[in-house]
Amino acid sequence: MEAVVDATDLEKRYGETTALAGASLSVEAGEVFALIGPNGAGKTTLVRALTGTTDPDEGTARILGEPPSAVDRDLLGVLPQEFSPPARLSARELLAYYAGLYDDARDPDNVLADVGLVDTGETWYEDLSGGQQRRACVGSALVNDPDLLFLDEPTTGIDPAGRRTVWRLIEDLADAGTTVVLTTHDMAEAERLADRVGLLADGRLVAQGPPEALVREHGGSSRLTVETAADPDAFADLEYPVERPERGRGRNPDNAVVVRDIDPAAIGAVVDYLEARDIEYTELSWAEPDLEDVYLSLADTAERERTDRLEGENEADDSDLARAGETA
Ligand code: ADP
């Protein structure tokens, strides 16, 4: 059976900027696929290429068995990242308006209930909170009960309770067989919702797989964070590797060390070690690797490769210039 989303070697350039540099992915019917990656990685461009909003320069995309621009719009739901409906429509009117665009739409009041906006159904869009606005937008993308739903950052700006409402909604849709492709910066969201996650960096999907498989493969080991002013060298005799926390990890990375590859049963031995050597510490916390570790490690590697490549290109340019200078 053909995949519901099937993209091969998509490339997209905007002037000097390469937004997609050969992205391939395939999403099966009923799957929830989460695209994660740093700002500027190409997530929105990929969603736009898959929904027919932008044409790739190279490569092919098919959704629901057709080129994106040929797909029956009744089967497709799209929530773009930047979506601003008319300010002076109520949430109910907004959903009724979108329902009116389709041959066979859901009852807008049911959608209003699904996104948790029954009590604010009569409030003008401009008077809703940011999170309520985003939920109304999510609702507008699914009034047609689509077979395939694209959500570009569905929960950005939504408070934790509203975020859970949207999560449950996505889970219910997936249970009912809707295929969902979403982008997110929220690793907990990707981990909770996605059957598979694709990490996009520098226009390429550098890793794809079920969250737990990605964590096993790229997440590194468990870690015990010791909040202490002591240097990692003070832990030289400990039988586990000790380092500074990774960039972006820990509340105060300069005042913490991380003990790697340690299981919880061994924490007592570390406490004994600290006390035997009079190493002062304020807190110990133990954590399994998670998707955020995968993200930090792979995005970091991709960024280093990008810098190396750009430096390589600059050096090549410089030597071209030097050669041009010699021959001039
Ligand atoms: P993400 O969604 O992962 O943040 P985007 O797909 O928005 O990434 O952007 C990828 C790259 O392409 C960025 O460098 C961005 O500035 C550039 N880009 C995206 N859309 C356009 C556009 N319409 N015109 C020019 N550059 C663009």
Side-chain angles (χ1 to χ4, degrees):
M1 210 176 69
E2 191 175 10
V4 170
V5 175
D6 196 8
T8 313
D9 297 333
L10 293 180
E11 292 181 25
K12 180 75 186 176
R13 281 173 294 281
Y14 294 106
E16 295 281 282
T17 305
T18 302
L20 294 177
S24 301
L25 91 160
S26 138
V27 182
E28 302 296 325
E31 262 193 311
V32 178
F33 190 94
L35 278 169
I36 60 174
N39 289 324
K43 300 180 295 299
T44 293
T45 306
L46 180 54
V47 168
R48 288 166 59 88
L50 294 175
T51 52
T53 323
T54 195
D55 285 326
D57 299 320
E58 304 285 341
T60 53
R62 288 172 72 81
I63 58 172
L64 297 162
E66 313 236 31
S69 53
V71 162
D72 178 354
R73 294 285 130 176
D74 281 5
L75 303 178
L76 188 62
V78 182
L79 173 68
Q81 193 178 118
E82 307 291 339
F83 177 59
S84 45
R88 300 217 166 171
L89 282 184
S90 70
R92 177 175 280 111
E93 285 168 338
L94 177 73
L95 296 178
Y97 168 77
Y98 278 97
L101 301 178
Y102 299 99
D103 293 337
D104 187 17
R106 294 181 56 198
D107 179 344
D109 280 324
N110 290 342
V111 181
L112 205 59
D114 281 353
V115 293
L117 291 178
V118 172
D119 293 344
T120 42
E122 303 312 324
T123 307
W124 274 350
Y125 182 83
E126 65 178 3
D127 293 329
L128 295 173
S129 71
Q132 289 168 335
Q133 288 182 343
R134 195 64 181 154
R135 280 189 276 149
C137 295
V138 170
S140 71
L142 44 90
V143 282
N144 55 329
D145 197 12
D147 289 359
L148 172 60
L149 178 62
F150 287 91
L151 300 169
D152 198 350
E153 296 193 21
T155 58
T156 297
I158 301 188
D159 67 25
R163 198 169 61 140
R164 274 169 200 276
T165 303
V166 173
W167 287 358
R168 278 193 293 270
L169 184 60
I170 294 172
E171 284 167 344
D172 288 347
L173 289 166
D175 286 346
T178 310
T179 308
V180 182
V181 177
L182 61 93
T183 74
T184 185
H185 285 296
D186 179 345
M187 295 304 114
E189 178 165 299
E191 217 154 22
R192 166 156 170 175
L193 295 178
D195 298 303
R196 281 189 306 134
V197 171
L199 189 130
L200 200 66
D202 208 13
R204 292 181 183 82
L205 275 149
V206 294
Q208 292 186 55
E212 52 292 354
L214 292 180
V215 170
R216 257 197 320 275
E217 196 172 337
H218 304 284
S221 60
S222 60
R223 57 184 185 275
L224 176 72
T225 304
V226 182
E227 301 219 356
T228 174
D231 195 80
D233 290 346
F235 296 78
D237 296 331
L238 197 66
E239 57 183 306
Y240 303 98
V242 175
E243 59 201 37
R244 288 280 179 212
E246 278 166 40
R247 184 168 61 84
R249 274 290 188 187
R251 282 179 299 178
N252 184 358
D254 293 335
N255 266 322
V257 297
V258 170
V259 184
R260 286 275 175 195
D261 301 333
I262 181 167
D263 74 65
I267 294 174
V270 175
V271 172
D272 292 346
Y273 182 96
L274 293 165
E275 288 178 357
R277 286 166 179 75
D278 281 333
I279 301 174
E280 285 184 30
Y281 64 98
T282 48
E283 199 173 303
L284 296 177
S285 52
W286 183 83
E288 290 269 25
D290 58 19
L291 200 56
E292 192 161 332
D293 293 298
V294 175
Y295 178 100
L296 290 171
S297 141
L298 292 180
D300 220 35
T301 308
E303 181 54 28
R304 258 195 318 259
E305 284 172 3
R306 193 177 79 92
T307 315
D308 289 350
R309 199 179 63 239
L310 290 178
E311 277 172 6
E313 282 168 14
N314 285 343
E315 276 167 22
D317 286 351
D318 287 350
S319 57
D320 283 351
L321 279 177
R323 263 197 304 279
E326 281 161 18
T327 49

